[in-house]
Amino acid sequence: MLSPTPLSLFCALLLCLPLAVIITITSPTTTITATVPDGSEHIPVTDLVPAAKTHQKLSTFKPPPEDDNSLFRLASRVNSRPPPGSPKKIAFLFLTISPLPLAPLWELYFNQTPKNLFNIYVHADPGYAYDSPFSGVFAHQVIPSKPAVRYTPTLISAARRLLAHALLHDRSNYMFALLSASCIPIHSFNFTYETLTRSKKSFIEILDNEIGSYDRWAARGPVAMLPEVKFEDFRIGSQFWSLTRKHARLVVDDQMIWAKFDEPCVVWDTCYPEENYFPTLLHMRDPRGVAPATLTHVDWNGSFDGHPRLYTASEVGPQLIMRLRKAKPRYGDDGTNGSDFSMMRRRDPFLFARKFSSDSIEPLLSIASDVIFKD
């Protein structure tokens, strides 16, 4: 037998090289599913390993940062559109400085609904001593929260924090509705869902020429808002709104207007930042992208100390719910969007109402099925 020469070995290697390349290219590329702890999304992670070793799950999820600047910056970069093929979701944002005394009514509201149509987020002031933890549909829905104090910009921060967590948590969140502990639904979930998800506009009250507007604008000092927020751009509105995903990203991305409202007031009794920041920002950035009205009914007749009327147990009944439903939202009157003909023809329904006392929960539950959830 002839011994192989160096030349013959070299030629043999050259002949085998194409086969090695083909085997390498056609080796299976596997995808490992990284499960996000909150269960909201499965992130595909490509890994070039043999298929037999792909049974384990890798977690690449990082909790949202707790410092606001990093949180808002991260949330502002999320995709502006819901994923194709998945149902739109409503993000219910509960901003509270107390327990949720009306939670049993919301339990009924959400428990009759497919879970893939909504998400719940709670910002609970950590300075309050909560006697009972959040349970039921509100269990494990509390985001990292900070104190939220009236007459300060901390209420704005709390709402922005809720928006940021909702944006980061689920790309399917399409509309973001801000609610308080004293809010109730006045329609079924299906009615509310259809109303919000069919809209391409945000619902936020934007009012001009209101009594006391100048005092509110100058609450931080006569020139504190300048030059970014001129008095003619300053607006007033309800702090409870429903924002599209586009506008939710706009809010968490904003730094310039927020910096002005983040300044402390020197005149506290005209300082209501949460009623001014959001309508002012949306008016300045995208006035045509909103229906300038809130869909949360409130009665300012008989208001006290800056708080609207409080409905008590003795007032709750079918007649009250029907009266709230029949009321017409007030649309903006700034001449840009509010008083034009398209707005005058709108007849958007109120979906929520406030303020309801904690003792009203029993009569509310008694009419929930036959009145509140029946459209």
Side-chain angles (χ1 to χ4, degrees):
M1 178 180 287
L2 295 175
S3 300
T5 64
L7 179 60
S8 62
L9 288 174
F10 178 71
C11 293
L13 286 173
L14 288 177
L15 291 172
C16 293
L17 183 58
L19 181 61
V21 172
I22 293 173
I23 293 173
T24 301
I25 292 175
T26 57
S27 294
T29 297
T30 61
T31 298
I32 300 175
T33 301
T35 303
V36 177
D38 58 26
S40 63
E41 184 175 346
H42 296 287
I43 304 173
V45 182
T46 301
D47 193 11
L48 296 176
V49 295
K53 297 182 180 179
T54 62
H55 63 278
Q56 59 182 346
K57 292 185 178 181
L58 301 180
S59 177
T60 61
F61 177 78
K62 294 182 179 180
E66 292 193 15
D67 69 286
D68 285 346
N69 289 336
S70 299
L71 175 68
F72 299 151
R73 183 166 56 251
L74 190 62
S76 69
R77 298 172 181 169
V78 300
N79 197 304
S80 61
R81 297 180 180 179
S86 64
K88 297 175 181 178
K89 295 182 182 181
I90 300 176
F92 290 85
L93 315 177
F94 288 85
L95 198 169
T96 181
I97 57 173
S98 69
L100 298 175
L102 306 177
L105 180 64
W106 287 105
E107 287 276 352
L108 290 178
Y109 181 77
F110 289 120
N111 283 336
Q112 300 176 9
T113 305
K115 300 298 184 277
N116 65 334
L117 299 182
F118 69 92
N119 284 306
I120 298 172
Y121 307 89
V122 180
H123 186 288
D125 189 329
Y128 189 93
Y130 297 92
D131 295 331
S132 57
F134 295 96
S135 59
V137 296
F138 296 99
H140 312 298
Q141 306 306 316
V142 180
I143 68 168
S145 307
K146 299 179 182 180
V149 183
R150 196 180 181 203
Y151 307 120
T152 75
T154 56
L155 285 170
I156 302 175
S157 296
R160 296 180 82 210
R161 219 169 279 129
L162 281 163
L163 286 172
H165 278 271
L167 283 167
L168 289 168
H169 171 248
D170 196 334
R171 186 180 159 191
S172 295
N173 285 331
Y174 174 79
M175 192 72 82
F176 302 73
L178 186 66
L179 302 162
S180 76
S182 63
C183 283
I184 68 164
I186 58 174
H187 282 282
S188 68
F189 179 91
N190 288 342
F191 184 93
T192 299
Y193 181 84
E194 291 298 322
T195 300
L196 293 180
T197 57
R198 286 180 179 177
S199 176
K200 295 182 180 180
K201 293 178 179 286
S202 293
F203 295 96
I204 177 171
E205 190 173 55
I206 300 179
L207 303 174
D208 190 17
N209 300 318
E210 290 294 285
I211 296 175
S213 291
Y214 180 81
D215 292 334
R216 289 191 180 206
W217 178 78
R220 297 156 190 82
V223 296
M225 301 296 282
L226 296 173
E228 289 82 0
V229 183
K230 300 178 179 64
F231 175 60
E232 54 265 31
D233 291 325
F234 188 77
R235 294 294 182 269
I236 293 176
S238 169
Q239 72 179 100
F240 299 101
W241 31 251
S242 295
L243 301 184
T244 61
R245 187 172 183 83
K246 171 187 174 181
H247 287 156
R249 291 179 68 233
L250 187 152
V251 169
V252 299
D253 187 48
D254 171 54
Q255 296 182 40
M256 185 179 72
I257 306 302
W258 162 241
K260 290 299 180 179
F261 283 91
D262 194 29
E263 294 292 326
C265 291
V266 294
V267 183
W268 68 268
D269 59 344
T270 59
C271 185
Y272 301 97
E274 70 282 0
E275 295 180 0
N276 302 134
Y277 170 71
F278 297 102
T280 298
L281 176 65
L282 269 295
H283 163 73
M284 294 179 67
R285 293 287 186 264
D286 189 19
R288 294 287 178 180
V290 305
T294 178
L295 300 187
T296 298
H297 186 283
V298 65
D299 187 354
W300 287 103
N301 293 320
S303 61
F304 174 74
D305 193 26
H307 293 284
R309 174 182 178 179
L310 179 69
Y311 297 105
T312 60
S314 61
E315 299 175 89
V316 174
Q319 296 81 6
L320 173 62
I321 301 302
M322 295 304 172
R323 187 169 79 246
L324 297 177
R325 286 181 177 181
K326 290 179 181 179
K328 185 179 185 295
R330 177 187 178 185
Y331 292 91
D333 48 15
D334 62 315
T336 301
N337 197 356
S339 59
D340 63 21
F341 289 112
S342 66
M343 290 298 112
M344 295 174 67
R345 291 196 300 266
R346 293 187 71 100
R347 187 61 189 254
D348 299 295
F350 281 114
L351 303 176
F352 314 105
R354 61 186 293 268
K355 298 176 65 171
F356 282 78
S357 64
S358 57
D359 68 349
S360 66
I361 185 58
E362 291 302 327
L364 285 169
L365 289 175
S366 69
I367 61 172
S369 298
D370 295 332
V371 180
I372 298 176
F373 302 152
K374 180 177 288 187
D375 299 309

mmCIF file of all heavy atoms in Angstrom, residues 335-351:
data_model
loop_
_atom_site.group_PDB
_atom_site.id
_atom_site.type_symbol
_atom_site.label_atom_id
_atom_site.label_comp_id
_atom_site.label_asym_id
_atom_site.label_seq_id
_atom_site.Cartn_x
_atom_site.Cartn_y
_atom_site.Cartn_z
ATOM 1 N N GLY A 335 -61.485 77.401 20.182
ATOM 2 C CA GLY A 335 -61.561 77.876 18.819
ATOM 3 C C GLY A 335 -60.716 77.085 17.844
ATOM 4 O O GLY A 335 -60.938 77.153 16.637
ATOM 5 N N THR A 336 -59.752 76.322 18.346
ATOM 6 C CA THR A 336 -58.903 75.524 17.464
ATOM 7 C C THR A 336 -59.552 74.193 17.155
ATOM 8 O O THR A 336 -59.609 73.752 16.021
ATOM 9 C CB THR A 336 -57.533 75.284 18.115
ATOM 10 O OG1 THR A 336 -56.927 76.543 18.377
ATOM 11 C CG2 THR A 336 -56.631 74.470 17.215
ATOM 12 N N ASN A 337 -60.076 73.572 18.184
ATOM 13 C CA ASN A 337 -60.639 72.238 18.013
ATOM 14 C C ASN A 337 -61.997 72.137 18.690
ATOM 15 O O ASN A 337 -62.870 71.419 18.251
ATOM 16 C CB ASN A 337 -59.682 71.208 18.605
ATOM 17 C CG ASN A 337 -59.973 69.807 18.117
ATOM 18 O OD1 ASN A 337 -60.927 69.593 17.406
ATOM 19 N ND2 ASN A 337 -59.149 68.853 18.507
ATOM 20 N N GLY A 338 -62.178 72.885 19.752
ATOM 21 C CA GLY A 338 -63.357 72.669 20.569
ATOM 22 C C GLY A 338 -64.641 73.202 19.994
ATOM 23 O O GLY A 338 -65.685 72.590 20.135
ATOM 24 N N SER A 339 -64.606 74.375 19.371
ATOM 25 C CA SER A 339 -65.860 74.983 18.943
ATOM 26 C C SER A 339 -66.119 74.832 17.447
ATOM 27 O O SER A 339 -67.031 75.437 16.918
ATOM 28 C CB SER A 339 -65.858 76.469 19.313
ATOM 29 O OG SER A 339 -64.756 77.126 18.699
ATOM 30 N N ASP A 340 -65.288 74.032 16.754
ATOM 31 C CA ASP A 340 -65.557 73.840 15.342
ATOM 32 C C ASP A 340 -66.731 72.874 15.168
ATOM 33 O O ASP A 340 -67.187 72.227 16.092
ATOM 34 C CB ASP A 340 -64.316 73.377 14.576
ATOM 35 C CG ASP A 340 -63.807 72.024 15.049
ATOM 36 O OD1 ASP A 340 -64.601 71.281 15.653
ATOM 37 O OD2 ASP A 340 -62.622 71.714 14.813
ATOM 38 N N PHE A 341 -67.218 72.788 13.936
ATOM 39 C CA PHE A 341 -68.444 72.029 13.695
ATOM 40 C C PHE A 341 -68.276 70.542 13.980
ATOM 41 O O PHE A 341 -69.206 69.881 14.431
ATOM 42 C CB PHE A 341 -68.911 72.253 12.257
ATOM 43 C CG PHE A 341 -69.450 73.632 12.017
ATOM 44 C CD1 PHE A 341 -68.765 74.522 11.212
ATOM 45 C CD2 PHE A 341 -70.624 74.052 12.625
ATOM 46 C CE1 PHE A 341 -69.260 75.802 10.993
ATOM 47 C CE2 PHE A 341 -71.128 75.323 12.420
ATOM 48 C CZ PHE A 341 -70.427 76.210 11.602
ATOM 49 N N SER A 342 -67.091 69.996 13.717
ATOM 50 C CA SER A 342 -66.895 68.568 13.963
ATOM 51 C C SER A 342 -67.054 68.231 15.428
ATOM 52 O O SER A 342 -67.556 67.173 15.787
ATOM 53 C CB SER A 342 -65.508 68.128 13.468
ATOM 54 O OG SER A 342 -64.484 68.749 14.238
ATOM 55 N N MET A 343 -66.627 69.141 16.305
ATOM 56 C CA MET A 343 -66.781 68.910 17.738
ATOM 57 C C MET A 343 -68.223 69.143 18.181
ATOM 58 O O MET A 343 -68.743 68.421 19.037
ATOM 59 C CB MET A 343 -65.845 69.830 18.528
ATOM 60 C CG MET A 343 -64.374 69.487 18.408
ATOM 61 S SD MET A 343 -64.003 67.829 19.059
ATOM 62 C CE MET A 343 -63.562 66.984 17.537
ATOM 63 N N MET A 344 -68.864 70.115 17.598
ATOM 64 C CA MET A 344 -70.242 70.417 17.989
ATOM 65 C C MET A 344 -71.182 69.275 17.630
ATOM 66 O O MET A 344 -72.233 69.099 18.251
ATOM 67 C CB MET A 344 -70.696 71.723 17.330
ATOM 68 C CG MET A 344 -69.919 72.950 17.824
ATOM 69 S SD MET A 344 -70.317 74.452 16.924
ATOM 70 C CE MET A 344 -72.011 74.710 17.420
ATOM 71 N N ARG A 345 -70.802 68.482 16.615
ATOM 72 C CA ARG A 345 -71.653 67.356 16.207
ATOM 73 C C ARG A 345 -71.380 66.098 17.029
ATOM 74 O O ARG A 345 -72.141 65.138 16.966
ATOM 75 C CB ARG A 345 -71.434 67.046 14.723
ATOM 76 C CG ARG A 345 -71.959 68.100 13.774
ATOM 77 C CD ARG A 345 -72.043 67.542 12.358
ATOM 78 N NE ARG A 345 -70.732 67.125 11.884
ATOM 79 C CZ ARG A 345 -69.915 67.903 11.165
ATOM 80 N NH1 ARG A 345 -70.283 69.139 10.872
ATOM 81 N NH2 ARG A 345 -68.739 67.454 10.753
ATOM 82 N N ARG A 346 -70.300 66.080 17.790
ATOM 83 C CA ARG A 346 -69.959 64.880 18.561
ATOM 84 C C ARG A 346 -70.934 64.682 19.715
ATOM 85 O O ARG A 346 -71.437 65.642 20.301
ATOM 86 C CB ARG A 346 -68.535 64.973 19.104
ATOM 87 C CG ARG A 346 -67.455 64.943 18.039
ATOM 88 C CD ARG A 346 -66.088 64.868 18.686
ATOM 89 N NE ARG A 346 -65.854 63.561 19.286
ATOM 90 C CZ ARG A 346 -65.142 62.599 18.714
ATOM 91 N NH1 ARG A 346 -64.614 62.786 17.517
ATOM 92 N NH2 ARG A 346 -64.958 61.447 19.327
ATOM 93 N N ARG A 347 -71.153 63.447 20.037
ATOM 94 C CA ARG A 347 -71.983 63.123 21.208
ATOM 95 C C ARG A 347 -71.374 61.886 21.864
ATOM 96 O O ARG A 347 -71.954 60.802 21.840
ATOM 97 C CB ARG A 347 -73.437 62.881 20.804
ATOM 98 C CG ARG A 347 -74.390 62.702 21.998
ATOM 99 C CD ARG A 347 -74.417 63.925 22.887
ATOM 100 N NE ARG A 347 -75.142 63.702 24.111
ATOM 101 C CZ ARG A 347 -76.359 64.190 24.358
ATOM 102 N NH1 ARG A 347 -76.968 64.921 23.449
ATOM 103 N NH2 ARG A 347 -76.943 63.951 25.513
ATOM 104 N N ASP A 348 -70.188 62.067 22.406
ATOM 105 C CA ASP A 348 -69.512 60.955 23.062
ATOM 106 C C ASP A 348 -70.167 60.687 24.416
ATOM 107 O O ASP A 348 -70.536 61.607 25.134
ATOM 108 C CB ASP A 348 -68.028 61.275 23.250
ATOM 109 C CG ASP A 348 -67.321 61.495 21.924
ATOM 110 O OD1 ASP A 348 -67.245 60.535 21.153
ATOM 111 O OD2 ASP A 348 -66.880 62.628 21.667
ATOM 112 N N PRO A 349 -70.298 59.422 24.782
ATOM 113 C CA PRO A 349 -70.962 59.101 26.054
ATOM 114 C C PRO A 349 -69.997 59.155 27.235
ATOM 115 O O PRO A 349 -68.804 58.845 27.093
ATOM 116 C CB PRO A 349 -71.429 57.657 25.823
ATOM 117 C CG PRO A 349 -70.370 57.088 24.923
ATOM 118 C CD PRO A 349 -69.942 58.216 24.015
ATOM 119 N N PHE A 350 -70.496 59.544 28.365
ATOM 120 C CA PHE A 350 -69.715 59.382 29.591
ATOM 121 C C PHE A 350 -69.603 57.886 29.883
ATOM 122 O O PHE A 350 -70.570 57.143 29.801
ATOM 123 C CB PHE A 350 -70.387 60.083 30.770
ATOM 124 C CG PHE A 350 -70.163 61.574 30.790
ATOM 125 C CD1 PHE A 350 -71.215 62.454 30.606
ATOM 126 C CD2 PHE A 350 -68.888 62.095 30.992
ATOM 127 C CE1 PHE A 350 -71.014 63.830 30.629
ATOM 128 C CE2 PHE A 350 -68.674 63.463 31.011
ATOM 129 C CZ PHE A 350 -69.743 64.332 30.828
ATOM 130 N N LEU A 351 -68.406 57.450 30.225
ATOM 131 C CA LEU A 351 -68.155 56.042 30.523
ATOM 132 C C LEU A 351 -67.960 55.790 32.007
ATOM 133 O O LEU A 351 -68.197 54.682 32.495
ATOM 134 C CB LEU A 351 -66.916 55.564 29.766
ATOM 135 C CG LEU A 351 -66.953 55.733 28.246
ATOM 136 C CD1 LEU A 351 -65.622 55.296 27.638
ATOM 137 C CD2 LEU A 351 -68.099 54.941 27.637
#
